[in-house]
């Protein structure tokens, strides 16, 4: 083990970074393979991931790969929404650990940057979660909420078709 550590210390910083990237990529690939095997073991913990796999399969098979443009667009939108949720989660975790590391290192400007970034990512997460329940806008005056809602809600599609003359 000492031989390996001394060999790594003799490398240039570029070579060390390249080696670290390769180790990270290979270990991630191995973990993904092990995770795939673990999902098929029937563990209750991994049952949710198995369900997600079926959802992804169905979404891509029946919607994204559909020859119907509306179904394909709908499927792609749902896939993008779900992918965005995972990206936001990943960035939130990364920013959280960056903030903790900055606190430990006493880099206060980075702590502030991490705090603002974390709050921006939480706001982005708020856009991705379902907020159709009326309780989410209970703090907004009723008149203002009704005015904005009426301006943004979709028009009746039958009325639109009649107005276009089709």
């Amino acid at each position: 083990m000492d031989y390996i550590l001394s060999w790594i210390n003799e490398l240039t910083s570029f070579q060390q970074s390249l080696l670290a990237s390769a180790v990270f990529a290979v270990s991630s690939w191995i973990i993904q393979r092990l995770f795939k095997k673990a999902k098929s073991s029937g563990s209750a913990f991994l049952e949710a991931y198995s369900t997600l796999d079926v959802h992804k399969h169905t979404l891509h098979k029946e919607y994204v790969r559909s020859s119907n443009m509306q179904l394909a667009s709908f499927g792609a939108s749902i896939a993008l929404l779900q992918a965005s949720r995972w990206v936001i989660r990943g960035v939130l975790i990364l920013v959280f650990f960056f903030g903790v590391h900055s606190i430990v290192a006493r880099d206060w400007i980075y702590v502030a940057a991490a705090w603002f970034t974390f709050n921006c990512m939480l706001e982005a997460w708020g856009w991705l979660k379902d907020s159709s329940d009326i309780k989410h806008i209970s703090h907004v005056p009723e008149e203002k909420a009704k005015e904005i809602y009426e301006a943004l809600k979709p028009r009746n599609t039958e009325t639109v078709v009649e107005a276009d003359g089709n």
Side-chain angles (χ1 to χ4, degrees):
M1 187 68 168
D2 289 334
Y3 170 75
I4 294 173
L5 292 176
S6 64
W7 175 74
I8 291 173
N9 283 333
E10 292 174 3
L11 297 174
T12 65
S13 62
F14 174 75
Q15 291 170 328
Q16 288 176 347
S17 298
L18 193 60
L19 178 64
S21 297
V23 168
F24 186 79
V26 169
S27 63
S28 295
W29 178 77
I30 290 170
I31 294 295
Q32 287 289 326
R33 294 300 233 186
L34 291 174
F35 193 64
K36 190 178 279 189
K37 295 278 186 195
K39 283 193 286 189
S40 63
S41 71
S43 152
F45 172 73
L46 297 173
E47 187 174 324
Y49 284 103
S50 298
T51 303
L52 283 175
D53 286 344
V54 175
H55 285 186
K56 285 187 276 188
H57 170 76
T58 305
L59 178 72
H60 283 274
K61 183 178 181 183
E62 299 298 329
Y63 291 91
V64 175
R65 294 180 181 254
S66 172
S67 60
N68 180 331
M69 182 60 83
Q70 290 176 327
L71 288 178
S73 297
F74 176 74
S77 298
I78 297 299
L80 184 61
L81 174 68
Q82 294 300 329
S84 298
R85 287 179 175 162
W86 283 100
V87 167
I88 296 288
R89 285 179 186 135
V91 172
L92 279 169
I93 292 168
L94 183 67
V95 170
F96 175 77
F97 281 103
F98 175 73
V100 170
H101 180 271
S102 298
I103 289 172
V104 170
R106 296 178 186 246
D107 290 332
W108 303 116
I109 192 77
Y110 289 117
V111 171
W115 184 81
F116 284 113
T117 304
F118 194 77
N119 283 297
C120 288
M121 295 308 296
L122 285 177
E123 181 64 25
W125 178 253
W127 279 91
L128 292 175
K129 68 181 184 179
D130 183 12
S131 59
S132 60
D133 191 348
I134 193 73
K135 72 178 181 182
H136 293 290
I137 60 169
S138 62
H139 64 283
V140 179
E142 190 174 332
E143 300 82 33
K144 184 174 184 173
K146 185 175 181 179
E147 177 186 335
I148 294 170
Y149 180 74
E150 290 298 322
L152 293 178
K153 79 174 188 178
R155 292 189 277 165
N156 185 349
T157 55
E158 293 173 11
T159 308
V160 173
V161 171
E162 291 173 9
D164 289 341
N166 295 328

